């Protein structure tokens, strides 16, 4: 099956070089970068996991960030 899809892609992209170029992966410098907040969350969670906690005992990462969790904010994540 893979050979068939490979042959189709080669024929299709030969006929449509603009789509072949568009389908190329982005270079690493154009990849999305994680936000500072996400990077900090990951760092805090890694520290917690290194101390033996797990996903069930860490709690809400916003508490680790020192953020206030309002009932409305908690409900937003639930949906």
């Amino acid at each position: 099956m893979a050979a068939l899809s490979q042959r189709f892609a080669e024929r299709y992209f030969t006929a449509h070089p603009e789509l072949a170029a568009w389908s190329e992966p982005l270079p690493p410098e154009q990849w999305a970068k994680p936000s500072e907040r996400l990077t900090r969350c990951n760092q805090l969670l890694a520290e917690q996991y290194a101390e033996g906690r797990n996903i069930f005992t860490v709690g809400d990462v916003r508490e680790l960030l020192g953020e206030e969790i309002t009932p409305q904010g908690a409900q937003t994540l639930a949906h």
Side-chain angles (χ1 to χ4, degrees):
M1 186 69 164
L4 180 61
S5 62
Q6 179 66 28
R7 286 197 323 253
F8 174 79
E10 288 172 359
R11 281 192 212 144
Y12 188 79
F13 287 146
T14 299
H16 302 282
E18 69 282 4
L19 292 178
W22 181 83
S23 297
E24 289 295 316
L26 290 174
E29 61 271 6
Q30 291 184 18
W31 293 357
K33 307 288 188 275
S35 67
E36 287 182 32
R37 183 173 186 250
L38 177 59
T39 301
R40 181 69 179 137
C41 286
N42 288 334
Q43 177 187 11
L44 290 168
L45 289 171
E47 291 170 4
Q48 293 293 310
Y49 296 152
E51 293 176 7
R53 298 183 76 190
N54 60 47
I55 190 170
F56 300 107
T57 60
V58 168
D60 194 319
V61 72
R62 294 175 297 177
E63 291 176 350
L64 296 175
L65 288 170
E67 297 178 359
E68 181 181 348
I69 303 170
T70 63
Q72 182 182 11
Q75 185 178 16
T76 302
L77 287 179
H79 291 104

